[in-house]
Amino acid sequence: MDEEFRGDDSLPLPNAFVDFLTQNGVSPTVYAASRSIPRYVRLKPGCETQIDEIEAEIKADLKEVNWLPNFYEIPPDTRISSTKPYKEGKIYGIDAASGAAVLALNISPGDDVLDLCAAPGAKLCMIADLLGCSGSVTGVDVARHRLAATKTMIQKYALGHRCRLFVADGTKFSIIPSTCSTEANGNLEVYKEWTPQKTWKERKRLAKMREKKIFKVVTGIEDPELIFYGCNSGIVGASKNDVHREANDLEILQLGYDKVLVDAECTHDGSIKHIQKFEQWGWTTLPHRVLDAQRTDELFTLQLNLLTNGFRLLKSGGSLVYSTCSLTVAQNEVVVERFLSQHHTAKLVEIEESVKWPCREGKVAKTIRFDPASSRTSGLFLAKFTKLTTAAEP
């Protein structure tokens, strides 16, 4: 395939992709020097005194990111998955822009937080870290195998005690934070402390449900499947009926989530790591994966529905952050404008922390964008909303 754009240290972008970027108002120059964009890791709080030891183990220097607490740059070709600090849960890989999305939520101890597109789990781990010893985090994802990886990650970093994970369709998920009494009726089945070893009765029940095709690893899952819960997540001792009870909109205003993160599925065109994979996959696969018009139309609908449901689950006065790793206007500003036109209790607000970040304002006021060229991160779009008690003035 002919190359349209290539710098000395950039990806060989094919014509079709350059055309896609141009049609969406994105300059292909953002991918210049893409191979020199650093990799980012987050240091688990409490491990600051072990930096020298960690550097020796991963054979790379940790360069502190001065605008994002506990984040460090390492050379882009550094491999950490086989190193001791990674296996022991002292560091994990997460792009700095993704860390900014979590920080934009302004999480406080005691918050009930919903991560509506939680897999593969790095942002959820950061949320759990910020919560500390109070509050809860609920992770939802439609793909069971990806959420299983999230479960493994939070267990490795010992962050699961206030977490619960549901395999569910994020556009339909309706379970609010647990408010159940631990004194359940003796006739009701209650959740005991979580264990990876399921009882024979539980295995039989799950097998029967799968035979009926209740769980589908596609958009359209009917019943949320709880695959993990921590000892302080509000699940232990609660009845299964109470945990899975869906709340109505009036209840949600009072008992919904304090903070919601909707890091929506997208074309991933802003993710340098993702685009680099096409050199191995073959650039001929890019039109189907990224450029297909039907796929982008379907993504717009999915993104709008995820944002709408995430906002519905937010309590009055709560905050929601919408993000994608696409650089296109259609998956970002257009989604935001459509959403605001349909929800008059939604107010777009400033991301106050962003004044210290290497980002720029989006095409809609108060939204922000990271891109490889100006931010030295992967591309990311962020918009922050709050839920008003009464409709916002036009």
Side-chain angles (χ1 to χ4, degrees):
M1 186 176 289
D2 292 338
E3 296 173 6
E4 177 71 18
F5 172 82
R6 184 166 187 165
D8 293 339
D9 194 26
S10 63
L11 290 169
L13 304 179
N15 286 332
F17 187 52
V18 172
D19 290 343
F20 169 80
L21 294 173
T22 302
Q23 291 165 11
N24 284 278
V26 178
S27 170
T29 58
V30 299
Y31 297 91
S34 58
R35 300 184 200 280
S36 62
I37 298 296
R39 184 175 184 182
Y40 294 91
V41 296
R42 186 168 191 267
L43 184 69
K44 186 175 175 62
C47 294
E48 292 83 1
T49 60
Q50 302 178 47
I51 288 180
D52 289 345
E53 177 186 331
I54 292 171
E55 288 179 330
E57 291 283 353
I58 68 173
K59 296 180 173 59
D61 291 336
L62 293 175
K63 182 180 179 182
E64 188 172 6
V65 177
N66 58 17
W67 55 274
L68 201 59
N70 296 105
F71 273 73
Y72 294 82
E73 294 181 13
I74 57 176
D77 57 350
T78 305
R79 305 293 180 185
I80 65 172
S81 60
S82 62
T83 65
K84 185 178 177 182
Y86 177 82
K87 291 178 178 179
E88 292 181 349
K90 296 175 182 177
I91 57 171
Y92 55 88
I94 174 173
D95 192 79
S98 296
V102 174
L103 208 61
L105 285 169
N106 292 117
I107 292 169
S108 301
D111 280 344
D112 290 311
V113 185
L114 173 63
D115 186 351
L116 200 55
C117 308
K123 289 186 288 296
L124 188 138
C125 282
M126 183 175 171
I127 290 170
D129 253 342
L130 293 174
L131 282 174
C133 298
S134 61
S136 71
V137 56
T138 299
V140 175
D141 206 275
V142 72
R144 193 181 198 282
H145 69 285
R146 282 169 52 81
L147 199 64
T150 303
K151 179 180 70 173
T152 300
M153 190 172 186
I154 62 172
Q155 288 178 291
K156 181 171 82 171
Y157 293 106
L159 292 169
H161 56 294
R162 296 190 173 275
C163 176
R164 56 184 190 163
L165 300 177
F166 290 93
V167 180
D169 180 352
T171 67
K172 300 175 182 177
F173 185 74
S174 291
I175 297 174
I176 60 173
S178 181
T179 57
C180 308
S181 168
T182 57
E183 298 179 0
N185 187 304
N187 296 323
L188 295 177
E189 187 177 5
V190 300
Y191 282 99
K192 299 179 180 178
E193 189 169 333
W194 187 85
T195 171
Q197 300 299 322
K198 297 187 184 299
T199 64
W200 176 84
K201 182 179 179 181
E202 183 71 5
R203 291 198 303 271
K204 184 177 180 181
R205 183 181 70 84
L206 289 173
K208 186 179 292 186
M209 294 178 80
R210 290 194 178 102
E211 284 175 8
K212 294 179 180 179
K213 298 183 179 180
I214 290 178
F215 298 136
K216 304 173 186 177
V217 189
V218 292
T219 301
I221 282 180
E222 296 176 10
D223 291 346
E225 178 186 2
L226 180 61
I227 67 167
F228 175 82
Y229 54 90
C231 57
N232 296 317
S233 62
I235 300 293
V236 177
S239 76
K240 298 193 175 184
N241 288 343
D242 279 341
V243 170
H244 287 267
R245 183 181 70 85
E246 296 187 351
N248 60 48
D249 290 349
L250 187 59
E251 289 177 298
I252 289 171
L253 286 175
Q254 299 296 322
L255 304 173
Y257 294 92
D258 298 288
K259 309 288 168 63
V260 175
L261 176 63
V262 180
D263 186 35
E265 174 64 14
C266 66
T267 51
H268 305 288
D269 53 272
S271 170
I272 293 298
K273 186 176 180 181
H274 184 79
I275 296 300
Q276 284 174 336
K277 290 179 180 177
F278 284 100
E279 292 189 294
Q280 285 76 48
W281 294 340
W283 288 105
T284 55
T285 66
L286 184 140
H288 170 70
R289 292 175 182 262
V290 177
L291 311 181
D292 181 71
Q294 181 179 346
R295 170 168 162 74
T296 54
D297 288 345
E298 291 172 350
L299 279 174
F300 173 83
T301 301
L302 175 61
Q303 290 156 351
L304 183 60
N305 289 342
L306 285 167
L307 175 54
T308 298
N309 195 45
F311 186 77
R312 185 180 71 85
L313 292 167
L314 191 66
K315 68 164 53 172
S316 181
S319 298
L320 179 149
V321 168
Y322 171 79
S323 66
T324 82
C325 60
S326 173
L327 297 173
T328 68
V329 172
Q331 297 176 68
N332 297 311
E333 286 92 344
V334 174
V335 173
V336 167
E337 290 179 323
R338 178 72 63 85
F339 171 75
L340 287 170
S341 72
Q342 296 174 348
H343 297 85
H344 301 301
T345 58
K347 181 181 180 182
L348 196 61
V349 296
E350 298 276 2
I351 301 174
E352 296 177 357
E353 297 83 0
S354 67
V355 296
K356 302 176 183 178
W357 297 347
C359 59
R360 55 186 174 83
E361 189 172 63
K363 295 184 182 297
V364 170
K366 300 179 183 177
T367 65
I368 63 170
R369 286 174 168 270
F370 291 85
D371 69 65
S374 59
S375 309
R376 297 183 73 244
T377 67
S378 279
L380 197 76
F381 171 87
L382 294 178
K384 184 175 180 178
F385 304 86
T386 190
K387 179 180 276 190
L388 305 174
T389 304
T390 58
E393 295 182 4

